[in-house]
Amino acid sequence: MIELLRATVFHTPERAIESFADGGLLICDGRIAACGDYTELRATNPDIAVRDLRGGYLLPGLIDTHVHFPQLRVLGGMGRQLLDWLEFVALPEEARMSDVTYACDTARRFVRALASHGTTTALVFGSHFKAATAALFRAAQGSGLRIVSGQVVADRALRPELHRSPADAFRDCTELIHEFHGRGRLLFAVTPRFAVSASEAMLEVCQTLLNEHEGLRFQTHINENELERAEVARLFPWAQDYFAVYERFHLTRPGAVMAHNVHTSDSELERLAATGTSIAHCPCSNAMLGSGIFPLRRHIDAGVHCALGTDVGGGTGFGILKEALQAYALQRLAPDGMLLTPGHLLYLATRAGAQALQLEHETGDFTVGKSADYIYLRAPEGSPLEAVLERAESPDRILSALFTLAGSESIADVRVAGEAVRDDA
Ligand code: GUN
Ligand code: ZN
C-alpha cells in the first residue's frame, strides 16, 4: 500500500523546524518513504494515489511523556497543592480502579481522549491495581496507539488499599510484562509513584525488574513540590538529594522519565544529564497545583533532556499543543525564562518525547523509514483559527497559530503507522 499525502507539512528532524508549504508525505506500508515538496515527489512518483489534504497541516503524532490514566475524572480540581490534592482528590479516584468494570470504562475513555487530542504515543501511569493496568494495555492495543505504561507500585504513605508488598508488586509487574511488554506497540514501564510512597525494598524490586527484562522503560516523579521534597529528605536521610534516592537503586538511565523537577539543584541537573535521564515538563500541572515555574534554561544549559507531559489529572487536559503553549507562556513570565520559538514547541511536542522514550528510531518526525505516525490539523469552518490562518504567511506564524488555537476540534485525523486510530477498544 503506497500513498502520497498533499498538505502543508511541518516536522523537526533536527531541533529546527522543516516545513513544506505545498508538501508531500509519501507513505509505503505504514512507513515514511519520503517527505518534501509535493511537486518533486509527484514527479518521481507519477502513478501512485494522491490524497489531497490542501487547506490543512500534517504534523508528526504528538507525544505525551507524563499522563495518569486513573485520573481522567479528577481533571479540573482546584485550590490544593500536591500532597493535599493527592490525598483528597486524586487517590480516592485511583482507589475506585479496584472495580474492573469502572477501570475498563475509564481506560476506553482515556485512550479515546489521547487520540482525539492528537497524541499517538504516551508514557502513561497505570493503576495501582493489576487488572486495571491490564485494562489500559488492552484498550491501547485495541486503538493502535503506542503506549508505554506500567502498574504503579507503592507500599507506604498512600491509602492502604493502594499499597502492595514489594513481593506482590514484583509478581504483578512480572505477569504484566509477560503479557504486554513488546506486544505490538506496547511497552512496559517500571512505575514507582514517587520516593515518598516507596520503601527501599520496593525500589529494589524496581531495580530487579529493570535488570531482569530487556527494553523496559522507567517513570516516576521528582522534585515537584517543597513539602514533597522535605518528606523525601526525612524518609531517606542518607540521600544527598531527591535524585540520589533513584540513583542508589540504578533507576537513572536513558529510557527513564521523571516528571516535574521544578525545584532542583545544579548537582542534580548535572547527574540527570550524565545518566541520560529525561524530564517530563508539565507546565499546566505546575501552574494548577501551584508547584512553581520550571527552570527550563537551567535544564537545557546542563544538557538535561526535556519533553512535555500533560500530567492528567493534575494538569488541565489531554492537549499536548496546549501544554506546549503553557510552556511558552510560563517561560515568558519566569525571571530567567527562555523565549521559545514555534519550532522549539513542535520539537518538544514530538521528537523530544520520542527521544525520552527511546522510540526515536520509530516515531517523532517524518524521517524516511520511521513509522507514519501523523496528525492532520484543519481549522473548523468559521473558527478564529481559520481567520488567523488566512493571514498567516510564514511557517512560524502558522505554527504559532496552531499551538495557540488548535484544540481537539481542529484535529481531523490521527494515524499510527498510516492506520487510523481505532475506536474499538
Ligand atoms: N506525585 C506522586 N503522585 C503524583 C500524581 O499523581 N500527580 C502529580 N502531579 N504528582 C505526583
Ligand atoms: Zn504525575
Side-chain angles (χ1 to χ4, degrees), residues 175-239:
E175 287 170 13
L176 287 169
I177 289 165
H178 286 141
E179 190 169 355
F180 296 109
H181 180 57
R183 293 288 152 93
R185 299 179 191 131
L186 305 179
L187 290 170
F188 189 90
V190 175
T191 310
R193 182 164 210 110
F194 59 165
V196 172
S197 61
S199 67
E200 294 186 21
M202 187 63 97
L203 293 170
E204 237 173 76
V205 160
C206 294
Q207 179 180 9
T208 306
L209 287 166
L210 287 167
N211 287 340
E212 283 189 356
H213 304 274
E214 274 289 301
L216 297 185
R217 308 308 195 257
F218 176 83
Q219 59 180 339
T220 192
H221 295 90
I222 191 169
N223 285 327
E224 180 174 3
N225 168 288
E226 295 288 11
L227 291 175
E228 170 213 21
R229 293 178 79 228
E231 193 55 11
V232 170
R234 188 182 72 76
L235 291 164
F236 299 93
W238 48 261

Short mmCIF file of all heavy atoms in Angstrom, two decimals, residues 175-239:
data_model
loop_
_atom_site.label_atom_id
_atom_site.label_comp_id
_atom_site.label_asym_id
_atom_site.label_seq_id
_atom_site.Cartn_x
_atom_site.Cartn_y
_atom_site.Cartn_z
N GLU A 175 4.02 -10.48 35.75
CA GLU A 175 2.93 -11.04 34.93
C GLU A 175 2.52 -10.06 33.82
O GLU A 175 2.31 -10.46 32.67
CB GLU A 175 1.74 -11.39 35.83
CG GLU A 175 2.02 -12.64 36.67
CD GLU A 175 0.98 -12.91 37.76
OE1 GLU A 175 -0.11 -12.28 37.74
OE2 GLU A 175 1.28 -13.75 38.63
N LEU A 176 2.44 -8.81 34.16
CA LEU A 176 2.06 -7.81 33.14
C LEU A 176 3.14 -7.70 32.05
O LEU A 176 2.83 -7.54 30.87
CB LEU A 176 1.82 -6.44 33.80
CG LEU A 176 0.54 -6.32 34.62
CD1 LEU A 176 0.53 -5.03 35.43
CD2 LEU A 176 -0.70 -6.38 33.71
N ILE A 177 4.39 -7.78 32.46
CA ILE A 177 5.49 -7.72 31.48
C ILE A 177 5.35 -8.88 30.50
O ILE A 177 5.43 -8.70 29.28
CB ILE A 177 6.86 -7.73 32.20
CG1 ILE A 177 7.08 -6.41 32.93
CG2 ILE A 177 7.99 -8.01 31.21
CD1 ILE A 177 8.19 -6.43 33.97
N HIS A 178 5.11 -10.07 31.03
CA HIS A 178 4.97 -11.24 30.14
C HIS A 178 3.78 -11.09 29.21
O HIS A 178 3.83 -11.47 28.05
CB HIS A 178 4.85 -12.53 30.96
CG HIS A 178 6.17 -12.92 31.56
ND1 HIS A 178 6.29 -13.45 32.83
CD2 HIS A 178 7.44 -12.83 31.10
CE1 HIS A 178 7.56 -13.68 33.10
NE2 HIS A 178 8.28 -13.31 32.06
N GLU A 179 2.71 -10.49 29.71
CA GLU A 179 1.51 -10.38 28.87
C GLU A 179 1.60 -9.25 27.85
O GLU A 179 1.09 -9.39 26.73
CB GLU A 179 0.28 -10.21 29.77
CG GLU A 179 -1.01 -10.33 28.98
CD GLU A 179 -2.25 -10.45 29.85
OE1 GLU A 179 -2.12 -10.52 31.09
OE2 GLU A 179 -3.35 -10.46 29.27
N PHE A 180 2.22 -8.13 28.20
CA PHE A 180 2.08 -6.95 27.33
C PHE A 180 3.39 -6.35 26.80
O PHE A 180 3.38 -5.68 25.76
CB PHE A 180 1.33 -5.84 28.09
CG PHE A 180 -0.08 -6.23 28.43
CD1 PHE A 180 -0.45 -6.49 29.74
CD2 PHE A 180 -1.04 -6.38 27.44
CE1 PHE A 180 -1.75 -6.86 30.06
CE2 PHE A 180 -2.34 -6.75 27.73
CZ PHE A 180 -2.70 -7.00 29.05
N HIS A 181 4.50 -6.51 27.46
CA HIS A 181 5.72 -5.81 27.05
C HIS A 181 6.20 -6.30 25.67
O HIS A 181 6.41 -7.50 25.48
CB HIS A 181 6.82 -6.02 28.09
CG HIS A 181 8.11 -5.35 27.75
ND1 HIS A 181 8.22 -4.00 27.52
CD2 HIS A 181 9.38 -5.85 27.60
CE1 HIS A 181 9.48 -3.69 27.25
NE2 HIS A 181 10.20 -4.80 27.29
N GLY A 182 6.31 -5.36 24.75
CA GLY A 182 6.79 -5.72 23.41
C GLY A 182 5.72 -6.31 22.52
O GLY A 182 6.00 -6.70 21.39
N ARG A 183 4.47 -6.35 23.00
CA ARG A 183 3.36 -6.82 22.16
C ARG A 183 2.90 -5.68 21.28
O ARG A 183 2.45 -4.65 21.81
CB ARG A 183 2.16 -7.28 23.01
CG ARG A 183 2.41 -8.49 23.83
CD ARG A 183 2.48 -9.73 22.93
NE ARG A 183 3.32 -10.74 23.53
CZ ARG A 183 2.89 -11.72 24.31
NH1 ARG A 183 1.63 -11.85 24.55
NH2 ARG A 183 3.74 -12.59 24.81
N GLY A 184 2.99 -5.84 19.97
CA GLY A 184 2.57 -4.76 19.06
C GLY A 184 3.28 -3.47 19.43
O GLY A 184 4.50 -3.41 19.52
N ARG A 185 2.50 -2.44 19.72
CA ARG A 185 3.11 -1.13 20.03
C ARG A 185 3.15 -0.85 21.53
O ARG A 185 3.30 0.30 21.94
CB ARG A 185 2.32 -0.04 19.32
CG ARG A 185 2.36 -0.23 17.81
CD ARG A 185 1.58 0.80 17.04
NE ARG A 185 1.48 0.37 15.67
CZ ARG A 185 0.36 0.34 14.97
NH1 ARG A 185 -0.77 0.75 15.51
NH2 ARG A 185 0.38 -0.09 13.73
N LEU A 186 3.01 -1.88 22.34
CA LEU A 186 3.01 -1.69 23.80
C LEU A 186 4.38 -1.95 24.41
O LEU A 186 5.09 -2.87 23.98
CB LEU A 186 2.00 -2.64 24.45
CG LEU A 186 0.57 -2.60 23.94
CD1 LEU A 186 -0.29 -3.62 24.70
CD2 LEU A 186 -0.02 -1.20 24.08
N LEU A 187 4.71 -1.16 25.41
CA LEU A 187 5.93 -1.41 26.19
C LEU A 187 5.58 -1.24 27.67
O LEU A 187 4.66 -0.48 28.01
CB LEU A 187 7.03 -0.41 25.82
CG LEU A 187 7.67 -0.57 24.43
CD1 LEU A 187 8.55 0.63 24.12
CD2 LEU A 187 8.46 -1.86 24.33
N PHE A 188 6.35 -1.89 28.52
CA PHE A 188 6.11 -1.79 29.96
C PHE A 188 7.11 -0.82 30.58
O PHE A 188 8.29 -0.83 30.23
CB PHE A 188 6.25 -3.17 30.61
CG PHE A 188 5.82 -3.19 32.06
CD1 PHE A 188 4.50 -3.48 32.40
CD2 PHE A 188 6.72 -2.90 33.07
CE1 PHE A 188 4.09 -3.49 33.73
CE2 PHE A 188 6.31 -2.90 34.41
CZ PHE A 188 5.00 -3.20 34.73
N ALA A 189 6.61 0.00 31.49
CA ALA A 189 7.47 0.91 32.25
C ALA A 189 7.36 0.60 33.74
O ALA A 189 6.25 0.56 34.29
CB ALA A 189 7.07 2.36 32.00
N VAL A 190 8.47 0.40 34.38
CA VAL A 190 8.51 0.23 35.84
C VAL A 190 8.13 1.58 36.46
O VAL A 190 8.69 2.62 36.08
CB VAL A 190 9.91 -0.23 36.29
CG1 VAL A 190 10.00 -0.30 37.80
CG2 VAL A 190 10.24 -1.58 35.66
N THR A 191 7.16 1.58 37.39
CA THR A 191 6.49 2.83 37.77
C THR A 191 6.29 2.97 39.29
O THR A 191 5.17 2.82 39.79
CB THR A 191 5.11 2.92 37.04
OG1 THR A 191 5.30 2.68 35.64
CG2 THR A 191 4.46 4.27 37.25
N PRO A 192 7.35 3.24 40.05
CA PRO A 192 7.11 3.62 41.45
C PRO A 192 6.51 5.03 41.45
O PRO A 192 7.00 5.90 40.73
CB PRO A 192 8.52 3.62 42.06
CG PRO A 192 9.44 3.86 40.91
CD PRO A 192 8.78 3.30 39.68
N ARG A 193 5.44 5.22 42.24
CA ARG A 193 4.72 6.51 42.15
C ARG A 193 5.67 7.69 42.42
O ARG A 193 5.80 8.58 41.59
CB ARG A 193 3.58 6.51 43.16
CG ARG A 193 2.78 7.73 43.12
CD ARG A 193 1.45 7.65 43.81
NE ARG A 193 0.63 8.55 43.07
CZ ARG A 193 -0.36 8.23 42.28
NH1 ARG A 193 -0.77 7.00 42.17
NH2 ARG A 193 -0.99 9.14 41.59
N PHE A 194 6.32 7.69 43.56
CA PHE A 194 7.40 8.64 43.89
C PHE A 194 8.11 8.12 45.13
O PHE A 194 7.64 7.17 45.76
CB PHE A 194 6.93 10.10 44.03
CG PHE A 194 5.88 10.45 45.06
CD1 PHE A 194 5.69 11.79 45.42
CD2 PHE A 194 5.07 9.50 45.68
CE1 PHE A 194 4.73 12.16 46.35
CE2 PHE A 194 4.10 9.86 46.61
CZ PHE A 194 3.93 11.20 46.94
N ALA A 195 9.23 8.73 45.46
CA ALA A 195 10.05 8.19 46.54
C ALA A 195 9.29 8.17 47.86
O ALA A 195 9.50 7.30 48.70
CB ALA A 195 11.34 9.00 46.67
N VAL A 196 8.37 9.14 48.04
CA VAL A 196 7.60 9.21 49.29
C VAL A 196 6.86 7.90 49.56
O VAL A 196 6.78 7.45 50.70
CB VAL A 196 6.58 10.38 49.22
CG1 VAL A 196 5.65 10.37 50.42
CG2 VAL A 196 7.31 11.72 49.11
N SER A 197 6.34 7.27 48.50
CA SER A 197 5.48 6.09 48.70
C SER A 197 6.20 4.78 48.40
O SER A 197 5.54 3.74 48.23
CB SER A 197 4.20 6.22 47.85
OG SER A 197 4.53 6.29 46.49
N ALA A 198 7.52 4.81 48.32
CA ALA A 198 8.27 3.59 48.02
C ALA A 198 9.33 3.35 49.09
O ALA A 198 10.21 4.20 49.31
CB ALA A 198 8.94 3.71 46.65
N SER A 199 9.28 2.19 49.72
CA SER A 199 10.34 1.81 50.66
C SER A 199 11.58 1.43 49.86
O SER A 199 11.52 1.24 48.63
CB SER A 199 9.89 0.61 51.49
OG SER A 199 9.78 -0.52 50.62
N GLU A 200 12.67 1.26 50.57
CA GLU A 200 13.90 0.82 49.87
C GLU A 200 13.69 -0.56 49.25
O GLU A 200 14.17 -0.84 48.15
CB GLU A 200 15.07 0.84 50.85
CG GLU A 200 15.39 2.27 51.28
CD GLU A 200 16.63 2.40 52.13
OE1 GLU A 200 17.49 1.49 52.09
OE2 GLU A 200 16.76 3.41 52.82
N ALA A 201 12.93 -1.41 49.93
CA ALA A 201 12.67 -2.75 49.36
C ALA A 201 11.90 -2.64 48.04
O ALA A 201 12.14 -3.39 47.09
CB ALA A 201 11.90 -3.59 50.38
N MET A 202 10.96 -1.68 47.98
CA MET A 202 10.19 -1.51 46.74
C MET A 202 11.08 -0.97 45.61
O MET A 202 10.97 -1.39 44.45
CB MET A 202 9.01 -0.56 46.99
CG MET A 202 8.07 -0.46 45.81
SD MET A 202 7.28 -2.04 45.43
CE MET A 202 5.72 -1.87 46.29
N LEU A 203 11.96 -0.04 45.95
CA LEU A 203 12.86 0.50 44.91
C LEU A 203 13.81 -0.60 44.43
O LEU A 203 14.19 -0.62 43.25
CB LEU A 203 13.62 1.71 45.46
CG LEU A 203 12.70 2.92 45.75
CD1 LEU A 203 13.46 4.01 46.50
CD2 LEU A 203 12.11 3.50 44.46
N GLU A 204 14.15 -1.51 45.32
CA GLU A 204 14.98 -2.66 44.92
C GLU A 204 14.25 -3.57 43.94
O GLU A 204 14.83 -4.08 42.99
CB GLU A 204 15.36 -3.45 46.17
CG GLU A 204 16.85 -3.60 46.36
CD GLU A 204 17.13 -4.24 47.71
OE1 GLU A 204 16.95 -5.47 47.84
OE2 GLU A 204 17.50 -3.49 48.63
N VAL A 205 12.95 -3.75 44.19
CA VAL A 205 12.12 -4.52 43.26
C VAL A 205 12.15 -3.86 41.87
O VAL A 205 12.28 -4.54 40.84
CB VAL A 205 10.66 -4.63 43.79
CG1 VAL A 205 9.69 -4.97 42.66
CG2 VAL A 205 10.59 -5.67 44.89
N CYS A 206 12.05 -2.55 41.85
CA CYS A 206 12.09 -1.82 40.57
C CYS A 206 13.41 -2.09 39.85
O CYS A 206 13.43 -2.35 38.64
CB CYS A 206 11.91 -0.32 40.81
SG CYS A 206 10.28 0.09 41.45
N GLN A 207 14.48 -2.03 40.60
CA GLN A 207 15.80 -2.30 40.03
C GLN A 207 15.87 -3.72 39.46
O GLN A 207 16.37 -3.94 38.35
CB GLN A 207 16.85 -2.09 41.11
CG GLN A 207 18.28 -2.35 40.66
CD GLN A 207 19.28 -2.13 41.79
OE1 GLN A 207 18.92 -1.93 42.96
NE2 GLN A 207 20.56 -2.15 41.45
N THR A 208 15.36 -4.68 40.23
CA THR A 208 15.40 -6.07 39.79
C THR A 208 14.61 -6.26 38.50
O THR A 208 15.06 -6.93 37.57
CB THR A 208 14.82 -6.99 40.90
OG1 THR A 208 15.52 -6.72 42.10
CG2 THR A 208 14.95 -8.45 40.55
N LEU A 209 13.41 -5.67 38.44
CA LEU A 209 12.60 -5.79 37.22
C LEU A 209 13.36 -5.26 36.01
O LEU A 209 13.40 -5.87 34.95
CB LEU A 209 11.27 -5.03 37.39
CG LEU A 209 10.24 -5.67 38.32
CD1 LEU A 209 9.13 -4.68 38.67
CD2 LEU A 209 9.64 -6.93 37.69
N LEU A 210 13.98 -4.08 36.20
CA LEU A 210 14.73 -3.48 35.07
C LEU A 210 15.90 -4.37 34.65
O LEU A 210 16.23 -4.45 33.46
CB LEU A 210 15.23 -2.09 35.47
CG LEU A 210 14.16 -1.00 35.54
CD1 LEU A 210 14.68 0.24 36.24
CD2 LEU A 210 13.64 -0.63 34.15
N ASN A 211 16.51 -5.04 35.62
CA ASN A 211 17.64 -5.92 35.29
C ASN A 211 17.18 -7.21 34.61
O ASN A 211 17.90 -7.79 33.81
CB ASN A 211 18.42 -6.29 36.55
CG ASN A 211 19.23 -5.11 37.06
OD1 ASN A 211 19.50 -4.17 36.31
ND2 ASN A 211 19.61 -5.15 38.32
N GLU A 212 15.98 -7.67 34.98
CA GLU A 212 15.55 -8.99 34.51
C GLU A 212 14.93 -8.99 33.12
O GLU A 212 14.81 -10.05 32.50
CB GLU A 212 14.54 -9.59 35.51
CG GLU A 212 15.21 -10.12 36.75
CD GLU A 212 14.26 -10.90 37.65
OE1 GLU A 212 13.05 -10.98 37.35
OE2 GLU A 212 14.76 -11.43 38.66
N HIS A 213 14.47 -7.82 32.66
CA HIS A 213 13.75 -7.79 31.38
C HIS A 213 14.36 -6.74 30.46
O HIS A 213 14.60 -5.61 30.87
CB HIS A 213 12.27 -7.48 31.61
CG HIS A 213 11.60 -8.43 32.55
ND1 HIS A 213 11.05 -9.62 32.15
CD2 HIS A 213 11.43 -8.37 33.90
CE1 HIS A 213 10.55 -10.26 33.19
NE2 HIS A 213 10.77 -9.52 34.27
N GLU A 214 14.56 -7.12 29.22
CA GLU A 214 15.12 -6.22 28.20
C GLU A 214 14.11 -5.15 27.80
O GLU A 214 12.92 -5.46 27.63
CB GLU A 214 15.39 -7.04 26.92
CG GLU A 214 16.71 -7.73 26.85
CD GLU A 214 17.87 -6.76 26.67
OE1 GLU A 214 17.85 -6.02 25.66
OE2 GLU A 214 18.75 -6.74 27.54
N GLY A 215 14.59 -3.93 27.65
CA GLY A 215 13.79 -2.91 26.97
C GLY A 215 12.70 -2.28 27.79
O GLY A 215 11.85 -1.56 27.25
N LEU A 216 12.70 -2.50 29.11
CA LEU A 216 11.69 -1.82 29.93
C LEU A 216 12.04 -0.35 30.02
O LEU A 216 13.20 0.04 29.98
CB LEU A 216 11.66 -2.39 31.35
CG LEU A 216 11.27 -3.85 31.54
CD1 LEU A 216 11.17 -4.18 33.03
CD2 LEU A 216 9.95 -4.17 30.85
N ARG A 217 11.02 0.49 30.17
CA ARG A 217 11.23 1.89 30.47
C ARG A 217 10.97 2.10 31.96
O ARG A 217 10.50 1.20 32.65
CB ARG A 217 10.31 2.79 29.62
CG ARG A 217 10.36 2.53 28.10
CD ARG A 217 11.75 2.55 27.52
NE ARG A 217 11.74 2.65 26.05
CZ ARG A 217 11.96 1.65 25.22
NH1 ARG A 217 12.20 0.42 25.68
NH2 ARG A 217 11.95 1.84 23.91
N PHE A 218 11.23 3.35 32.42
CA PHE A 218 11.06 3.66 33.85
C PHE A 218 10.42 5.03 33.96
O PHE A 218 10.75 5.95 33.19
CB PHE A 218 12.42 3.65 34.56
CG PHE A 218 12.34 4.05 36.01
CD1 PHE A 218 11.98 3.13 36.98
CD2 PHE A 218 12.58 5.37 36.41
CE1 PHE A 218 11.88 3.49 38.32
CE2 PHE A 218 12.48 5.74 37.74
CZ PHE A 218 12.13 4.79 38.70
N GLN A 219 9.49 5.18 34.90
CA GLN A 219 8.89 6.51 35.12
C GLN A 219 8.59 6.72 36.60
O GLN A 219 8.25 5.79 37.33
CB GLN A 219 7.61 6.69 34.29
CG GLN A 219 6.54 5.67 34.60
CD GLN A 219 5.27 5.86 33.78
OE1 GLN A 219 5.02 6.96 33.26
NE2 GLN A 219 4.47 4.82 33.66
N THR A 220 8.71 7.96 37.02
CA THR A 220 8.36 8.34 38.39
C THR A 220 8.21 9.86 38.45
O THR A 220 8.22 10.54 37.42
CB THR A 220 9.41 7.80 39.39
OG1 THR A 220 8.90 7.94 40.71
CG2 THR A 220 10.75 8.53 39.27
N HIS A 221 8.05 10.38 39.67
CA HIS A 221 8.00 11.84 39.89
C HIS A 221 9.25 12.26 40.66
O HIS A 221 9.80 11.48 41.44
CB HIS A 221 6.78 12.22 40.73
CG HIS A 221 5.47 11.95 40.07
ND1 HIS A 221 4.80 10.76 40.20
CD2 HIS A 221 4.70 12.72 39.26
CE1 HIS A 221 3.67 10.81 39.52
NE2 HIS A 221 3.58 11.99 38.93
N ILE A 222 9.62 13.54 40.49
CA ILE A 222 10.77 14.07 41.24
C ILE A 222 10.63 15.58 41.44
O ILE A 222 10.15 16.29 40.53
CB ILE A 222 12.10 13.73 40.51
CG1 ILE A 222 13.30 14.03 41.42
CG2 ILE A 222 12.22 14.49 39.19
CD1 ILE A 222 14.62 13.49 40.88
N ASN A 223 11.00 16.04 42.64
CA ASN A 223 11.19 17.48 42.87
C ASN A 223 10.05 18.34 42.35
O ASN A 223 10.27 19.35 41.68
CB ASN A 223 12.49 17.95 42.20
CG ASN A 223 13.72 17.51 42.97
OD1 ASN A 223 13.71 17.42 44.19
ND2 ASN A 223 14.80 17.23 42.24
N GLU A 224 8.81 17.95 42.73
CA GLU A 224 7.67 18.71 42.21
C GLU A 224 7.29 19.85 43.14
O GLU A 224 6.88 20.92 42.70
CB GLU A 224 6.49 17.72 42.05
CG GLU A 224 5.21 18.35 41.52
CD GLU A 224 4.14 17.31 41.24
OE1 GLU A 224 4.39 16.12 41.51
OE2 GLU A 224 3.07 17.69 40.74
N ASN A 225 7.44 19.58 44.46
CA ASN A 225 6.82 20.46 45.44
C ASN A 225 7.72 20.48 46.69
O ASN A 225 8.32 19.46 47.04
CB ASN A 225 5.43 19.84 45.71
CG ASN A 225 4.73 20.40 46.90
OD1 ASN A 225 5.12 20.13 48.03
ND2 ASN A 225 3.68 21.15 46.66
N GLU A 226 7.75 21.61 47.38
CA GLU A 226 8.66 21.75 48.53
C GLU A 226 8.33 20.78 49.66
O GLU A 226 9.23 20.20 50.28
CB GLU A 226 8.65 23.19 49.06
CG GLU A 226 9.18 24.23 48.09
CD GLU A 226 10.70 24.17 47.89
OE1 GLU A 226 11.35 23.19 48.33
OE2 GLU A 226 11.24 25.11 47.28
N LEU A 227 7.03 20.58 49.96
CA LEU A 227 6.66 19.67 51.05
C LEU A 227 7.03 18.23 50.71
O LEU A 227 7.49 17.46 51.56
CB LEU A 227 5.15 19.75 51.34
CG LEU A 227 4.66 21.05 51.97
CD1 LEU A 227 3.13 21.04 52.08
CD2 LEU A 227 5.29 21.25 53.35
N GLU A 228 6.84 17.89 49.45
CA GLU A 228 7.22 16.55 48.98
C GLU A 228 8.72 16.35 49.14
O GLU A 228 9.18 15.30 49.63
CB GLU A 228 6.82 16.42 47.50
CG GLU A 228 7.33 15.19 46.78
CD GLU A 228 7.64 15.45 45.30
OE1 GLU A 228 7.85 16.63 44.91
OE2 GLU A 228 7.69 14.47 44.55
N ARG A 229 9.49 17.35 48.79
CA ARG A 229 10.96 17.24 48.90
C ARG A 229 11.39 17.08 50.35
O ARG A 229 12.29 16.30 50.67
CB ARG A 229 11.63 18.47 48.29
CG ARG A 229 11.44 18.56 46.79
CD ARG A 229 12.07 19.83 46.25
NE ARG A 229 13.51 19.70 46.11
CZ ARG A 229 14.40 20.59 46.53
NH1 ARG A 229 14.02 21.68 47.15
NH2 ARG A 229 15.68 20.40 46.32
N ALA A 230 10.73 17.82 51.24
CA ALA A 230 11.08 17.72 52.66
C ALA A 230 10.78 16.31 53.16
O ALA A 230 11.54 15.74 53.97
CB ALA A 230 10.29 18.76 53.45
N GLU A 231 9.68 15.73 52.68
CA GLU A 231 9.30 14.38 53.11
C GLU A 231 10.32 13.36 52.59
O GLU A 231 10.71 12.43 53.32
CB GLU A 231 7.89 14.09 52.54
CG GLU A 231 7.19 12.89 53.10
CD GLU A 231 7.05 12.87 54.63
OE1 GLU A 231 7.31 13.89 55.28
OE2 GLU A 231 6.71 11.80 55.15
N VAL A 232 10.80 13.54 51.39
CA VAL A 232 11.82 12.62 50.85
C VAL A 232 13.11 12.75 51.66
O VAL A 232 13.75 11.73 51.99
CB VAL A 232 12.06 12.90 49.34
CG1 VAL A 232 13.27 12.13 48.82
CG2 VAL A 232 10.82 12.55 48.54
N ALA A 233 13.47 13.97 52.04
CA ALA A 233 14.69 14.17 52.84
C ALA A 233 14.55 13.47 54.20
O ALA A 233 15.50 12.88 54.71
CB ALA A 233 14.96 15.66 53.01
N ARG A 234 13.32 13.51 54.76
CA ARG A 234 13.08 12.87 56.06
C ARG A 234 13.15 11.34 55.94
O ARG A 234 13.70 10.66 56.79
CB ARG A 234 11.69 13.30 56.57
CG ARG A 234 11.37 12.88 57.99
CD ARG A 234 9.96 13.29 58.40
NE ARG A 234 8.91 12.52 57.76
CZ ARG A 234 8.56 11.27 58.08
NH1 ARG A 234 9.19 10.65 59.05
NH2 ARG A 234 7.58 10.65 57.42
N LEU A 235 12.56 10.81 54.85
CA LEU A 235 12.46 9.35 54.69
C LEU A 235 13.78 8.71 54.27
O LEU A 235 14.00 7.52 54.51
CB LEU A 235 11.39 9.01 53.65
CG LEU A 235 9.95 9.29 54.07
CD1 LEU A 235 9.01 9.30 52.86
CD2 LEU A 235 9.49 8.25 55.09
N PHE A 236 14.62 9.48 53.57
CA PHE A 236 15.89 8.93 53.08
C PHE A 236 17.03 9.81 53.57
O PHE A 236 17.65 10.54 52.79
CB PHE A 236 15.89 8.87 51.54
CG PHE A 236 14.80 8.00 50.96
CD1 PHE A 236 13.57 8.55 50.60
CD2 PHE A 236 15.00 6.64 50.75
CE1 PHE A 236 12.56 7.75 50.06
CE2 PHE A 236 14.00 5.83 50.21
CZ PHE A 236 12.77 6.39 49.87
N PRO A 237 17.30 9.74 54.90
CA PRO A 237 18.30 10.68 55.47
C PRO A 237 19.69 10.51 54.87
O PRO A 237 20.49 11.44 54.91
CB PRO A 237 18.28 10.35 56.97
CG PRO A 237 17.55 9.06 57.11
CD PRO A 237 16.70 8.86 55.90
N TRP A 238 19.97 9.35 54.31
CA TRP A 238 21.29 9.10 53.73
C TRP A 238 21.45 9.75 52.35
O TRP A 238 22.57 9.82 51.82
CB TRP A 238 21.55 7.60 53.60
CG TRP A 238 20.41 6.84 52.97
CD1 TRP A 238 19.46 6.13 53.62
CD2 TRP A 238 20.10 6.73 51.56
NE1 TRP A 238 18.56 5.58 52.72
CE2 TRP A 238 18.94 5.94 51.45
CE3 TRP A 238 20.68 7.23 50.39
CZ2 TRP A 238 18.34 5.63 50.23
CZ3 TRP A 238 20.09 6.94 49.16
CH2 TRP A 238 18.93 6.14 49.09
N ALA A 239 20.33 10.21 51.76
CA ALA A 239 20.41 10.70 50.37
C ALA A 239 20.83 12.17 50.35
O ALA A 239 20.25 12.99 51.06
CB ALA A 239 19.07 10.51 49.67
#
